[in-house]
């Protein structure tokens, strides 16, 4: 995806398709940036077109309306962000991944924008959940079950409740902690919470 | 506060002050309603004045700008909402109170609006925390300490972490549960979380 962002000499670029792909990338990038900067309500097709350097007609040829455009931008951003999802070797690794993501202010802001627009643009949070739910939720659940089976979590825990608690903890961090907290400290935030549930790291 | 919302016959109303108080109430009510309906970014002094049935000049005489008005509306709404804060007889009662608040869609939406505008209007969440923090946070903490001392929570828990976890759980509920969930079920949501920490109700 990033390739089409690289400058290309006109001679090297075949006619038609790549130019269209360039416009796609420019539009999605502009839409995502505006969503992060100003939120869904304060973003318009007009602004996206201007920032992407295309006409409004070019945007409307691809997307029926602002919501459809933002939904696509969100899918696009999250697709790139999701390498394998084969699971983690340990709870520490899992939280390390979460912390690395949450240590990037842009990621935090995007998550807040998506959550913050749930009353006006519910399609955004639905899209986010569609893209990030499913497999991602399943591997978190597997990780918690494995930790429990290894005796790192009490046998009697309700894995579903603990998982919901951890998702809520992400929101709590986005809302209540500064955007410049480093990854190590964020990882410790999640570990401290899981310790209350009885988590003890394996030796 | 609600008294001034009642219709008054012009004859019964003394000149000056009460009329001004009526305008205050109408303006704050309109501001709060618009914040809940459309969010801070999509609310304007113009709209507030129109809905309150006053001129823009009347609003601007009282409030320097939209943010100052929304901050005041939030303080006003939350002041009314806060009866005694002398604490609860049990964890169940505490969660019962939280659940009763979160079972009202309007309350949920207001909380989401305040949280959702933290990047653009950080003054709102700061105000909310100022009004609701302090004494309110202290009584929650006292409640958790008391439950621990009564043996309803494990002696080794970190009360601060558990409190932060519960605050996050509120956000999780606001974001991930439907607005028509009843109070009993919401109370059970919090109890289920606290049970993972080892909470056992007293006999």
């Amino acid at each position: 995806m990033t390739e089409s962002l690289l400058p290309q000499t006109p001679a090297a670029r075949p006619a038609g398709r790549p130019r269209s792909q360039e416009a796609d990338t420019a539009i999605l990038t502009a839409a995502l940036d505006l969503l992060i900067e100003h939120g869904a309500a304060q973003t318009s097709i007009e602004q996206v077109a201007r920032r992407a350097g295309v006409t409004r007609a070019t945007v409307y040829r691809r997307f029926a309306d602002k919501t459809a455009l933002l939904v696509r931008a969100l899918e696009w951003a999250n697709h790139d962000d999701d390498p394998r999802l084969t699971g983690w070797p340990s709870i520490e690794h899992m939280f390390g991944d979460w912390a690395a993501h949450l240590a990037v202010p842009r990621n935090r802001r995007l998550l807040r924008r998506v959550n913050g627009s749930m009353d006006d643009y519910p399609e955004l949070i639905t899209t986010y959940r569609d893209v990030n739910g499913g497999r991602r939720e399943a591997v978190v659940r597997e990780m918690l079950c494995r930790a429990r089976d290894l005796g790192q979590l009490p046998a009697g825990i309700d894995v579903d409740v603990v998982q919901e608690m951890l998702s809520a903890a992400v929101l709590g961090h986005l809302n209540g902690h500064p955007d410049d907290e480093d990854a190590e400290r964020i990882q410790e935030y999640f570990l401290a919470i899981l310790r209350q549930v009885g988590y003890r790291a394996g030796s």
Side-chain angles (χ1 to χ4, degrees), chain A:
Chain A
M1 271 278 179
T2 39
E3 265 174 47
S4 54
L5 284 170
L6 294 174
Q8 301 183 333
T9 58
R13 186 176 60 199
R17 204 80 199 101
R19 192 189 295 262
S20 159
Q21 211 177 58
E22 245 176 66
D24 282 351
T25 304
I27 291 166
L28 291 172
T29 302
L32 195 67
D33 288 350
L34 285 164
L35 173 62
I36 291 169
E37 287 165 35
H38 305 299
Q42 299 294 100
T43 294
S44 68
I45 292 274
E46 173 81 48
Q47 287 169 302
V48 171
R50 204 179 317 133
R51 189 175 289 204
V54 301
T55 64
R56 291 199 325 171
T58 302
V59 180
Y60 277 118
R61 251 198 307 280
R62 288 162 167 83
F63 305 98
D65 55 26
K66 178 172 79 173
T67 304
L69 167 56
L70 293 176
V71 160
R72 184 67 200 106
L74 211 49
E75 288 171 344
W76 174 73
N78 278 279
H79 178 76
D80 268 17
D81 193 52
D82 206 346
R84 306 136 295 159
L85 275 187
T86 50
W88 300 272
S90 73
I91 292 275
E92 272 81 0
H93 284 85
M94 179 174 82
F95 288 156
D97 255 20
W98 296 14
H101 190 78
L102 291 175
V104 179
R106 189 179 152 87
N107 294 340
R108 299 175 69 82
R109 208 165 160 120
L110 177 59
L111 281 167
R112 286 199 296 262
R113 290 300 187 189
V114 168
N115 289 321
S117 55
M118 74 175 275
D119 283 302
D120 303 318
Y121 299 88
E123 298 86 351
L124 298 188
I125 200 159
T126 306
T127 300
Y128 191 83
R129 283 177 185 151
D130 285 351
V131 174
N132 290 286
R135 181 76 197 125
R136 192 182 291 259
E137 271 183 26
V139 293
V140 174
R141 199 177 193 288
E142 278 162 30
M143 185 72 248
L144 292 171
C145 288
R146 188 144 43 92
R148 182 196 56 194
D149 296 346
L150 289 169
Q152 298 173 354
L153 281 169
I157 61 157
D158 184 325
V159 170
D160 294 324
V161 174
V162 172
Q163 184 162 6
E164 184 162 17
M165 181 194 295
L166 290 175
S167 301
V170 172
L171 298 176
H173 198 278
L174 288 171
N175 259 40
H177 288 245
D179 279 359
D180 61 358
E181 215 171 274
D182 66 32
E184 201 178 337
R185 199 154 159 207
I186 302 175
Q187 186 186 28
E188 178 53 33
Y189 163 86
F190 288 113
L191 283 169
I193 285 176
L194 206 58
R195 272 188 219 112
Q196 304 312 306
V197 175
Y199 173 69
R200 299 292 174 264
S203 52

